[in-house]
């Protein structure tokens, strides 16, 4: 995904262009495959079993977890992990 597209997705989540650039510089990650690979990511991030429900709700109910954003654009869902 191009940097311009990443900035566009972040602006769709309510960021200004300047804020979007800052978030990307700080390490924000935009996932296009989070729903399909959620368990693998949770394992990779060492998320404890009792803390996984928040991520499952995020994917199932489209309600962002803390420090996350969700953008739906052109039929595709993007999950944004902000680094604050």
């Amino acid at each position: 995904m191009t940097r311009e597209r990443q900035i566009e997705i972040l602006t769709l989540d309510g960021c200004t262009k300047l804020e979007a650039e800052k978030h990307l510089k700080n390490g924000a990650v935009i996932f296009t495959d989070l729903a399909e690979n959620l368990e693998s990511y949770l394992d990779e991030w060492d998320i404890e079993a009792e803390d996984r429900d928040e991520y499952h709700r995020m994917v199932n109910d489209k309600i962002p977890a803390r420090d996350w954003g969700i953008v739906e654009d052109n039929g595709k869902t993007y999950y944004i992990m902000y680094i604050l």
Side-chain angles (χ1 to χ4, degrees), residues 21 27 30 33-34 47-48 54 59 62-63 66 68 81:
E21 290 171 345
I30 300 172
D33 65 341
L34 186 70
I47 303 298
E48 298 292 329
E54 182 178 15
V59 169
K62 301 290 191 270
I63 299 170
R66 188 181 35 154
W68 284 77
M81 181 174 64

Side-chain angles (χ1 to χ4, degrees), residues 37-56:
N37 298 300
L38 182 60
E39 292 303 319
S40 295
Y41 282 120
L42 295 177
D43 290 342
E44 181 180 327
W45 301 330
D46 293 324
I47 303 298
E48 298 292 329
E50 61 270 7
D51 296 326
R52 291 179 179 227
D53 284 344
E54 182 178 15
Y55 296 93
H56 288 279

Side-chain angles (χ1 to χ4, degrees), residues 1 5-6 9-10 24 28-32 78-81:
M1 175 181 322
R5 180 65 178 146
Q6 290 175 325
I9 291 167
L10 291 170
L24 290 172
V29 179
I30 300 172
F31 295 89
T32 58
Y78 300 91
Y79 296 90
I80 306 160
M81 181 174 64

